């Protein structure tokens, strides 16, 4: 006898949940496809060297590593037993994919990926060690056209899913850096400074100031919190003007993005100077989607103009947006969303010891009903026929036929 | 710089291939759904104990094993470094899934799974270390109704895919065993005997007899080959009668299956007494699909009435059929099958330095065209505009608009 449960932190997906997941995925992909994104797929497994190239931030600590095999394993030292790992996101594999296949792809490549990723996190409610990400990326578009399309497409996908209460928060890494520099922080401390700043929502301005102050001194801490807060207090126009004065490059980028999406009638967007995003590879615009009463992030992304260059040399611009599929699924399930495929559902029942002749009459009748677009089950009656019928009705079956030597009779 | 290629034996899937793969998968799933199969999903990773429980035959030697993590790893001896593995098929995970969730599933459970599996095989042409399987299984139906539906559903899926030149070869493990017993082989040698018998197609009757003879003596070898061949020489009715006389249980089972599917008008089926199938867990009927000129197996399956009992105790009947997705994909790609989604494909082009106003006019026009069911790209012109246009035309785009301060103009 074995443990029946899936590995720690992983899940079995029941039929009704899978239907909903497929519907969500199809809806998102339908919208993305209409924007000209094309689907790609990479292996779930990548070389460990690629996965541990310091692009994945803390996720690199969470890699499921795969043992070498055969001779390769025999010749390995104890600290070098693994050669592969399960991917922890879809972005690092995408960059390898583009490097490997760019000759066969359009020069501006709009990629769409839906797939599982794995992270050996301490399991907790709503967090899994295998979960689905749903990414779009635009490679080789250096202007804010990329950001604009990513925001519009992702927004449209959420609307189509019946999730209108979202807001896309936008910032620019270059602005963050300029802010930190202006407040006297050293470049080597930026990562730590930003991790603290990122907690503004959770621990408030006082909390952030205290933490920064303890680590880097009171002066810079006070300045940075005040400056960030002041950008949040202003109306959007004034805040963006201020951003332009602090970091013209980033400010202008933000002005262009906000101007363009608003001109397209998209209003669910907000400038948030305290937005940080965890991944090391972002170089410019960053975004995150907050969802309504849940107050949680249901997606995020940004521009990463250097990641690809590290793989293929030169500069290759890229910008991506990832939808947190599991969170979207949870919200829609909580809302009671179900899938109705519109197909009729019919059952043909026979006695337990039905002859081949009776069974084939039932199977043929089912085949006929299928050509009319119905889902058809052929089943043998069980002892507790009442229970069987009620279970089938609960599963959505509405039409029942009993098949015997005497022919096929509809049950009322 | 990193290696741009995927790990050895694995693949990047290009957009046009992914479209075809999705179309194939959707077609198969549509047919299976109409038979009342419901989709499930299990993690790609399972406990190593489950994967190495001697059910997977040679595949157990090909498992990608995952290193333990953290403290667990520190406390492990050198021969016990792994706790998880990538699944090598979908059947073993299905049995765990059913054991874990049977309270929430219908008593006769018709499961449908499409997913990747991993095997660390020596890479060779057309064989990959990550590949997709597409399985249906019926759990808790002990009669030949299960086999019949699996054959009809799989056959219909192949027809729908435009692959009519297949034949389902059917045998029964119990008949194989009875044949071997009747020819004087010992039960402990059966596995080896069947591996040799399985080569009848490849090395011919003489080859099989020679191999058996060398291992187990000339007498039994000659008898077994003659008996198996004689079953193949007869017409179906006579062969099945002979099967009934050798092993009544298996013979009657085969007679019922053949009778029922033929009564349903399904003729692409053949009794093959030399069919063996590799997996240890089969207990009764086994099947394999051969495809036309390719002469290759594009699927297979069988009844495994004991695998589930090992997990949840008692006897739980099960029977499954797996389509070899990668082979189907290769055949259809060779045949030149492409996917036409029927959507119009439109491009809106702007100058490289287009203003936010021009970009938003292009984006808004694209949004409008999308509501009419078109796929729309918004792109900046590149220097070599002629090349850009011809690439886009090759990618299926047929309508082009140029957007500027002067408005939007259609290109002829």
């Amino acid at each position: 006898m074995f443990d029946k449960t899936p590995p720690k932190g992983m899940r079995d997906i029941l039929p009704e949940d899978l239907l909903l997941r497929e519907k969500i995925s199809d809806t998102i992909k339908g919208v993305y496809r209409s924007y000209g994104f094309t689907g790609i797929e990479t292996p779930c497994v990548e070389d460990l060297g690629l996965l541990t190239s310091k692009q994945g931030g803390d996720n690199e600590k969470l890699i499921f590593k795969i043992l070498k095999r055969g001779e390769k394993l025999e010749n390995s030292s104890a600290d070098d037993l693994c050669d592969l790992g399960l991917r922890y996101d879809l972005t690092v594999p995408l960059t390898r994919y583009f490097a490997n296949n760019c000759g066969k792809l359009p020069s501006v490549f709009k990629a769409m990926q839906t797939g599982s990723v794995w992270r050996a996190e301490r399991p907790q409610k709503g967090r899994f060690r295998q979960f689905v990400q749903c990414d779009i990326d635009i490679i080789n578009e250096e202007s804010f056209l990329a950001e604009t399309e990513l925001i519009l497409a992702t927004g449209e996908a959420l609307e189509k899913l019946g999730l209108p209460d979202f807001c896309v928060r936008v910032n620019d890494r270059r602005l963050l850096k300029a802010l930190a520099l202006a407040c006297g922080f050293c470049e080597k401390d930026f990562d730590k400074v930003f991790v603290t700043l990122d907690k503004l929502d959770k621990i408030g301005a006082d909390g952030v100031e205290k933490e920064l102050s303890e680590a880097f001194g009171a002066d810079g801490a006070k300045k940075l919190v005040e400056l960030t807060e002041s950008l949040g207090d202003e109306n959007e126009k004034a805040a963006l003007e201020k951003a332009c004065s602090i970091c013209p490059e980033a400010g202008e980028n933000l002005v262009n993005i906000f101007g363009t999406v608003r001109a397209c009638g998209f209003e669910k967007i907000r400038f948030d100077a305290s937005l940080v995003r965890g991944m090391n590879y972002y170089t410019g615009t960053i975004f995150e989607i907050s969802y309504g009463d849940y107050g949680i992030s249901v997606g995020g992304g940004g521009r990463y103009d250097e990641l690809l260059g590290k793989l293929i040399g030169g500069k290759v611009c890229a910008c991506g947006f990832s939808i947190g599929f599991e969170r979207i699924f949870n919200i829609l399930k909580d809302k009671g969303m179900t899938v109705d495929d519109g197909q009729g559902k019919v059952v043909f029942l026979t006695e337990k010891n039905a002859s081949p002749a009776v069974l084939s009459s039932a199977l043929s009748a089912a085949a006929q009903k299928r050509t009319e677009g119905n889902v058809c089950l052929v089943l043998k009656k069980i002892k507790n026929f009442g229970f069987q019928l009620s279970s089938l009705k609960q599963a959505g079956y509405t039409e029942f036929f009993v098949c015997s030597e005497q022919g096929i009779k509809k049950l009322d």
Side-chain angles (χ1 to χ4, degrees), chain A:
Chain A
M1 297 278 221
F2 300 95
D3 189 357
K4 301 171 195 174
T5 56
K8 192 170 129 187
M10 300 189 184
R11 281 167 301 172
D12 287 336
I13 296 177
L14 289 167
E16 66 268 27
D17 283 349
L18 188 59
L19 267 185
L20 180 55
R21 293 170 73 89
E22 287 175 343
K23 161 118 185 204
I24 294 170
S25 167
D26 287 348
T27 303
I28 296 173
K29 286 198 272 188
V31 171
Y32 287 168
R33 198 167 283 131
S34 78
Y35 278 78
F37 289 92
T38 55
I40 67 158
E41 209 178 280
T42 65
C44 299
V45 163
E46 293 284 354
D47 281 330
L48 209 47
L50 177 72
L51 294 176
T52 54
S53 57
K54 307 254 175 295
Q55 298 305 324
D58 279 352
N59 292 330
E60 295 196 0
K61 297 177 195 151
L62 306 174
I63 298 172
F64 284 100
K65 295 176 183 168
I66 294 173
L67 200 70
K68 293 179 184 173
R69 297 146 305 281
E71 237 175 64
K72 234 173 139 188
L73 179 62
E74 283 158 30
N75 299 332
S76 290
S77 60
D79 59 350
D80 185 32
L81 296 167
C82 296
D83 57 349
L84 302 169
L86 291 172
R87 62 185 178 200
Y88 51 78
D89 76 1
L90 300 176
T91 305
V92 171
L94 169 68
T95 61
R96 187 200 53 67
Y97 178 97
F98 185 77
N100 190 36
N101 300 289
C102 55
K104 299 171 205 152
L105 301 171
S107 56
V108 173
F109 181 48
K110 298 172 85 170
M112 154 170 85
Q113 295 184 86
T114 308
S116 288
V117 302
W118 290 262
R119 294 179 193 169
E121 290 188 276
R122 200 169 290 276
Q124 45 179 303
K125 200 182 168 304
R127 282 194 107 129
F128 298 99
R129 290 180 154 198
Q130 174 177 335
F131 59 98
V132 169
Q133 286 193 334
C134 190
D135 284 18
I136 41 175
D137 293 86
I138 304 180
I139 296 179
N140 260 332
E141 173 51 60
E142 63 180 352
S143 82
F144 61 92
L145 171 58
E147 281 88 341
T148 309
E149 281 215 285
L150 292 172
I151 292 169
L152 292 174
T154 305
E156 190 174 326
L158 292 172
E159 299 278 356
K160 267 253 160 74
L161 286 168
L163 294 172
D165 304 327
F166 64 90
C167 181
V168 183
R169 289 149 59 218
V170 185
N171 196 11
D172 192 305
R173 276 264 166 154
R174 293 166 298 182
L175 176 62
L176 274 176
K177 288 183 181 174
L179 281 174
L181 266 185
C183 298
F185 290 94
C186 305
E187 193 136 4
K188 69 169 175 46
D189 296 327
F190 280 3
D191 282 349
K192 278 186 196 159
V193 172
F194 296 153
V195 166
T196 304
L197 190 62
D198 201 22
K199 299 180 189 165
L200 206 58
D201 277 358
K202 282 180 204 146
I203 61 175
D206 291 348
V208 170
E209 189 177 332
K210 186 160 169 273
E211 209 174 296
L212 285 177
S213 177
E214 280 162 8
F216 307 103
D219 200 33
K222 187 156 185 272
K223 260 191 181 165
L224 183 62
V225 170
E226 276 178 10
L227 201 50
T228 310
E229 289 257 281
S230 78
L231 283 164
D233 290 342
E234 312 266 9
N235 65 47
E236 185 177 294
K237 191 157 174 286
L240 289 176
E241 269 166 23
K242 209 168 195 172
C244 285
S245 71
I246 297 165
C247 175
E249 240 185 332
E252 199 188 321
N253 174 48
L254 292 169
V255 167
N256 284 333
I257 294 171
F258 279 80
T260 310
V261 299
R262 286 199 196 280
C264 292
F266 183 90
E267 295 288 345
K268 296 173 180 177
I269 186 168
R270 186 164 70 79
F271 171 45
D272 180 352
S274 70
L275 179 68
V276 171
R277 300 284 305 156
M279 301 302 237
N280 300 347
Y281 49 63
Y282 291 122
T283 54
T285 324
I286 44 180
F287 13 72
E288 196 161 294
I289 320 175
S290 307
Y291 194 77
D293 300 339
Y294 293 81
I296 53 168
S297 159
V298 296
R303 183 170 277 281
Y304 51 100
D305 284 346
E306 282 162 20
L307 191 51
L308 273 150
K310 284 186 182 140
L311 270 166
I312 34 178
K315 194 190 170 190
V316 183
C317 302
C319 195
F321 212 139
S322 176
I323 285 187
F325 186 86
E326 305 296 345
R327 290 195 172 163
I328 296 289
F329 169 75
N330 285 336
I331 295 172
L332 288 171
K333 210 187 159 185
D334 278 0
K335 277 173 168 266
M337 182 175 176
T338 53
V339 179
D340 177 16
D341 51 18
Q343 291 184 288
K345 298 182 92 180
V346 187
V347 187
F348 294 86
L349 293 145
T350 75
E351 294 301 327
K352 195 172 158 61
N353 57 358
S355 67
V358 169
L359 273 182
S360 58
S361 76
L363 289 163
S364 298
Q368 177 56 37
K369 275 273 182 193
R370 272 183 210 114
T371 63
E372 298 159 15
N374 297 291
V375 171
C376 297
L377 278 183
V378 177
L379 286 176
K380 300 204 167 181
K381 285 190 198 173
I382 63 170
K383 271 183 202 155
N384 190 340
F385 185 50
F387 173 75
Q388 188 177 24
L389 275 184
S390 69
S391 305
L392 287 165
K393 283 177 184 164
Q394 221 182 334
Y397 286 88
T398 53
E399 225 179 316
F400 300 87
F401 294 89
V402 173
C403 311
S404 68
E405 305 284 352
Q406 281 72 49
I408 298 178
K409 214 189 123 206
K410 188 166 177 176
L411 273 189
D412 296 319

